[in-house]
Amino acid sequence: MTEQVFYLPKGYRYAGVNCGIRPNSKKLDFALVVSDLPATAAGVYTQNLNCGAPVVYDRERTPCKGIRVVATDSGCANACTGKTGLFNARKMAEYAGEAVGASGDETLVMSTGVIGVQLPMRQIAQGAEKAAAKLGPAYHDFEKAATAIMTTDTKLKVVSRQIQLPTGTVVRLAAMCKGAAMIGPNMATMLATIVTDAALEPQDAQKALFDAVQDTFNCVSVEGHTSTSDTCILLANGAANPNPLAGEDLKAFAAALLEMCQELAPMIPNDGEGVSHLITIDVVGAPDRESAKLMAQTVANDALVKTAICGADPNWGRIVSATGRCGVKYDPAKVSLKVNGFLLYENGAPVDFNKEEVSNSIRNNRNVTFELFFQEGDGKIRFWTSDLTTEYVHLNADYTT
């Protein structure tokens, strides 16, 4: 990816540095995203009751105006750390804000990594100073910040958009996110920072972000474990247009934000730890949207379904059975299923299919699709998950040891 095709909004600078949060590691582990103008900020957060201190800190502040900085550390989640953890989240905001000439009240923070460990504040302070000295507006600066928020991710997850609004104003959006495991909806495990040079009122920014998350990051799962740290922040600094978007312009912006999140969301399970297949689940004809989501999520988190895909086994019974135990009422005689476009089950009964052909289709393609058809209503959803491999088990068995 180059600066010529990656659209960076006006009025932002970025940096990613190593500050030693992980002993004996040279990995970039501290990131700053700085707006040159006070920005409107919105946030969507994990629903895990055992949320991290940064979530508590940010949730109290968003939506709001006047944010200048988002600081992120990678390696320590600062979750389940009590009053000390919340104190440290505030200090992290102060360190980052002061390093760039702002204040703690103008700074939001995110942390990701091991749960139950206090932030190494000396390293955090050093990271803030070091990153502030390296801030820049170019794509390679953005890329370093995006790299610094990664933990077990193996791939950079960044997207951007440039759109011309109906009134003629051109605005840009860019996003970075991380996530590879402990992935489950509410929010789907991840950290994300989205920046735009559009001007937004806080409530409009919050609604646009919430709506985008509902159909993207909240439709992602690897193993169904909702993290303590999930955070998605949107900054809108108005550098492209000083007047807050409204009417058709606001609708166009929200559509672009949703489209961008739709591109980002499947990158997370596709980069899941040890993953060999990305699975896209489409549910159509459920009683309503929530029913469709519950069906898809149950299939996505089913270990038997996931291991079948790992082994390229077209065991459709596991998929159909999973929908029947999710609590949604439907007529089993009106259910159909396609895998990679092959019809395996129709109106409540199996159909003849070439098992070897379907198995090869799974084995030879990283992307696998499930299409589940019901005849109960207009509920539909798209959900993303991954298969379950022995490498995933090994990685997570040894995560802290």
Side-chain angles (χ1 to χ4, degrees):
M1 190 174 296
T2 68
E3 293 181 76
Q4 285 70 38
V5 298
F6 196 90
Y7 302 106
L8 286 171
K10 298 176 182 177
Y12 291 94
R13 292 172 292 146
Y14 319 89
V17 299
N18 171 271
C19 65
I21 293 174
R22 301 179 186 187
N24 304 317
S25 172
K26 295 183 179 180
K27 178 192 179 299
L28 302 183
D29 55 14
F30 191 88
L32 286 180
V33 174
V34 177
S35 174
D36 295 331
L37 300 171
T40 291
V44 181
Y45 307 98
T46 181
Q47 297 302 301
N48 193 319
L49 293 178
N50 294 307
C51 62
V55 172
V56 175
Y57 181 87
D58 292 350
R59 189 182 272 150
E60 291 175 348
R61 288 158 175 75
T62 55
C64 65
K65 292 183 177 181
I67 297 299
R68 291 274 321 282
V69 186
V70 177
T72 306
D73 84 85
S74 170
C76 178
N78 192 12
C80 303
T81 47
K83 293 181 180 179
T84 299
L86 188 55
F87 176 84
N88 286 340
R90 293 192 184 102
K91 290 300 292 182
M92 178 174 167
E94 291 176 11
Y95 290 152
E98 291 170 1
V100 300
S103 70
D105 289 339
E106 296 175 292
T107 303
L108 300 175
V109 295
M110 300 190 292
S111 296
T112 181
V114 178
I115 295 170
V117 178
Q118 299 292 353
L119 279 177
M121 297 310 295
R122 182 174 63 85
Q123 286 87 343
I124 293 294
Q126 291 174 347
E129 291 292 337
K130 191 174 180 180
K134 292 182 176 294
L135 285 167
Y139 174 73
H140 68 265
D141 303 306
F142 183 91
E143 184 178 53
K144 284 192 174 181
T147 302
I149 71 174
M150 293 164 55
T151 49
T152 58
D153 307 61
T154 65
K155 300 172 184 174
L156 197 67
K157 301 174 181 68
V158 297
V159 298
S160 69
R161 290 290 186 279
Q162 177 174 279
I163 59 169
Q164 183 171 8
L165 301 175
T167 54
T169 301
V170 174
V171 299
R172 293 179 172 187
L173 306 87
M176 62 181 74
C177 80
K178 63 81 55 182
M182 199 180 275
I183 305 290
N186 294 323
M187 275 202 359
T189 301
M190 53 167 286
L191 298 182
T193 300
I194 304 170
V195 293
T196 180
D197 49 19
L200 297 170
E201 290 290 354
Q203 294 305 322
D204 292 333
Q206 186 66 33
K207 184 179 187 306
L209 183 62
F210 179 83
D211 290 347
V213 166
Q214 288 301 96
D215 286 330
T216 57
F217 300 126
N218 267 345
C219 290
V220 172
S221 180
V222 168
E223 73 291 277
H225 190 130
T226 299
S227 165
T228 60
S229 305
D230 307 335
T231 301
C232 182
I233 289 172
L234 169 65
L235 296 184
N237 70 4
N241 66 306
N243 298 317
L245 302 186
E248 293 303 311
D249 280 356
L250 182 58
K251 289 181 182 178
F253 173 85
L257 177 63
L258 172 61
E259 182 184 87
M260 195 166 64
C261 292
Q262 287 172 332
E263 183 179 347
L264 265 180
M267 293 182 188
I268 296 172
N270 197 31
D271 191 29
E273 293 168 353
V275 163
S276 62
H277 292 88
L278 172 67
I279 305 169
T280 301
I281 304 169
D282 286 317
V283 173
V284 178
D288 49 48
R289 182 189 179 280
E290 287 307 308
S291 297
K293 183 176 181 180
L294 185 55
M295 291 172 169
Q297 186 174 332
T298 305
V299 172
N301 291 336
D302 192 288
L304 292 177
V305 171
K306 296 160 81 68
T307 52
I309 298 305
C310 175
D313 181 5
N315 192 338
W316 58 263
R318 294 181 178 181
I319 302 169
V320 173
S321 176
T323 68
R325 66 176 177 83
C326 70
V328 175
K329 300 295 184 182
Y330 62 82
D331 185 349
K334 295 180 179 180
V335 181
S336 300
L337 167 68
K338 290 182 179 180
V339 173
N340 281 359
F342 295 96
L343 183 65
L344 309 187
Y345 189 77
E346 186 175 27
N347 292 327
V351 300
D352 291 333
F353 67 91
N354 186 321
K355 290 185 178 180
E356 183 177 357
E357 184 180 19
V358 179
S359 179
N360 287 336
S361 172
I362 298 171
R363 181 179 296 106
N364 298 329
N365 291 283
R366 185 175 179 86
N367 295 322
V368 175
T369 60
F370 298 169
E371 297 170 272
L372 280 156
F373 303 95
F374 301 84
Q375 300 176 46
E376 305 295 334
D378 59 3
K380 63 179 181 179
I381 205 162
R382 172 164 287 182
F383 205 97
W384 297 277
T385 189
S386 56
D387 59 354
L388 180 59
T389 67
T390 55
E391 185 180 353
Y392 175 89
V393 175
H394 289 308
L395 283 167
N396 283 280
D398 301 332
Y399 187 64
T400 64
T401 53

